[in-house]
Amino acid sequence: MIITLAFLDIKPESVEDFIAASKANAEASRQEPGVTRFNLTRQLDVPTNFTLVEEYRDIDAVEAHRTTDHYLTWKATVEPMQASPRHSHRYEIL
């Protein structure tokens, strides 16, 4: 299993639109055969900070996700909403 944590800092005026776009992306991502978990979370003390918690069966599923229409649409939609560039880290379950 591969876990990706993607960290996003969103402009305050874009939070609601970001949530809507990210929920749609998460719902579509959960339908991918290699995705076992895909959640949008928000930091309690900084409500403009979000983390996507993504769990994939293997690295091929990660790469397949990055080519889907819903991911590419989400990426283009939320990029201008970001207060700073997003960053992510990949982990393996031991």
Side-chain angles (χ1 to χ4, degrees):
M1 292 284 191
I2 303 291
I3 305 288
T4 298
L5 299 179
F7 303 95
L8 298 104
D9 180 19
I10 302 302
K11 298 172 186 173
E13 65 274 14
S14 298
V15 164
E16 294 308 315
D17 290 337
F18 171 80
I19 291 171
S22 296
K23 282 184 174 182
N25 179 56
E27 185 175 322
S29 297
R30 287 187 206 107
Q31 305 309 309
E32 296 174 42
V35 173
T36 57
R37 178 180 177 188
F38 204 103
N39 297 107
L40 173 66
T41 66
R42 180 175 11 193
Q43 188 174 329
L44 288 174
D45 59 336
V46 184
T48 57
N49 286 351
F50 295 84
T51 302
L52 292 174
V53 180
E54 309 169 23
E55 183 178 277
Y56 301 90
R57 294 192 190 286
D58 53 33
I59 197 67
D60 291 337
V62 175
E63 297 307 321
H65 168 71
R66 295 172 59 95
T67 66
T68 61
D69 288 340
H70 58 267
Y71 168 75
L72 295 171
T73 297
W74 172 83
K75 182 180 174 185
T77 300
V78 303
E79 227 165 56
M81 299 177 187
Q82 296 171 197
S84 60
R86 79 175 192 273
H87 65 282
S88 63
H89 301 283
R90 288 186 186 162
Y91 304 86
E92 63 179 331
I93 296 178
L94 302 176

